[in-house]
Amino acid sequence: MVTENGIDLELRLLCVSYISGIIIVFAYDILGIIRSSGHHGRILRFLEELAFWGSAGWWLFSILNWANYGIIRYFSMLGLFFGMISYRITVKDVFRQTGVRLILWGKEKTVRVLRFLLKPVLYAGKRIFWFFEFWYRKGKRKLQLKQRIKKIKIRVVHKLERKELHGRQKKSEKD
């Protein structure tokens, strides 16, 4: 039977902390890739950060509790720190660029598929809009025509009234 002594437990804790640091930064990069895919306001960004770091802290505490019975040691924090740094130095840029490309590629393909699927709906919408616009313009033209006819009638009536008035004045002058 093999028993674990203090050094073996500490080495296991160091390795678990190192891997935990890599996993936390990897998850944060995934969050960064999701953020770069669209606009995130201050409030949403704050809520994302709060949720991420709250869950990361809970996960880290549970890992430390499992690996070292909840005792936080300085070398576990160093392992966590070096895991984060080593991920940042080696993998971060490649992963971010690839992730952003994949997200943009996925967005482009999704937009193409949606455009293809929505073509009949958009066509029908354009035709319906054209139909209502046609009748609106026709009604507007009729209204404008009615207004013009009304103005012409008013002018004709005024002209006739003036002629009649003018004719009465001439008769009264002759008499």
Side-chain angles (χ1 to χ4, degrees):
M1 181 172 189
V2 177
T3 60
E4 294 182 353
N5 58 13
I7 297 293
D8 291 337
L9 288 173
E10 290 175 356
L11 186 61
R12 181 179 74 176
L13 178 62
L14 182 65
C15 290
V16 166
S17 297
Y18 182 80
I19 292 170
S20 296
I22 291 173
I23 291 172
I24 287 174
V25 176
F26 177 75
Y28 194 74
D29 272 350
I30 290 174
L31 180 65
I33 289 170
I34 292 170
R35 279 186 186 159
S36 67
S37 68
H39 177 71
H40 294 252
R42 283 184 172 177
I43 295 173
L44 183 59
R45 195 175 187 127
F46 171 76
L47 292 174
E48 288 171 348
E49 290 283 331
L50 186 66
F52 175 80
W53 287 111
S55 60
W58 176 81
W59 181 76
L60 189 60
F61 176 74
S62 63
I63 290 294
L64 286 175
N65 193 23
W66 169 79
N68 199 32
Y69 308 110
I71 300 171
I72 299 174
R73 303 208 176 181
Y74 72 92
F75 58 87
S76 68
M77 292 297 115
L78 285 176
L80 189 68
F81 177 73
F82 284 123
M84 290 177 171
I85 295 297
S86 65
Y87 175 83
R88 285 275 187 205
I89 291 172
T90 58
V91 182
K92 175 197 171 223
D93 293 331
V94 174
F95 179 72
R96 275 258 174 130
Q97 290 172 356
T98 306
V100 168
R101 284 186 194 141
L102 283 174
I103 293 245
L104 292 176
W105 179 81
K107 269 183 153 180
E108 179 186 342
K109 295 301 177 190
T110 304
V111 166
R112 283 186 178 181
V113 167
L114 286 175
R115 280 187 183 156
F116 177 75
L117 292 175
L118 292 176
K119 263 188 180 180
V121 175
L122 293 175
Y123 180 77
K126 284 180 184 177
R127 290 297 171 203
I128 290 170
F129 178 76
W130 176 83
F131 177 77
F132 284 116
E133 184 181 29
F134 171 78
W135 287 106
Y136 171 74
R137 285 186 179 174
K138 192 172 183 180
K140 193 174 180 180
R141 279 191 221 124
K142 279 186 177 180
L143 182 64
Q144 288 173 349
L145 186 61
K146 283 182 181 179
Q147 289 173 346
R148 286 182 188 166
I149 290 172
K150 188 176 181 181
K151 286 180 183 178
I152 291 172
K153 282 182 180 178
I154 291 172
R155 285 184 196 157
V156 168
V157 167
H158 282 313
K159 203 172 196 181
L160 289 174
E161 286 177 352
R162 271 192 252 138
K163 278 185 179 181
E164 194 177 300
L165 183 65
H166 187 66
R168 284 183 194 164
Q169 286 176 351
K170 280 188 176 182
K171 273 187 179 180
S172 65
E173 285 176 10
K174 285 182 182 180
D175 292 334

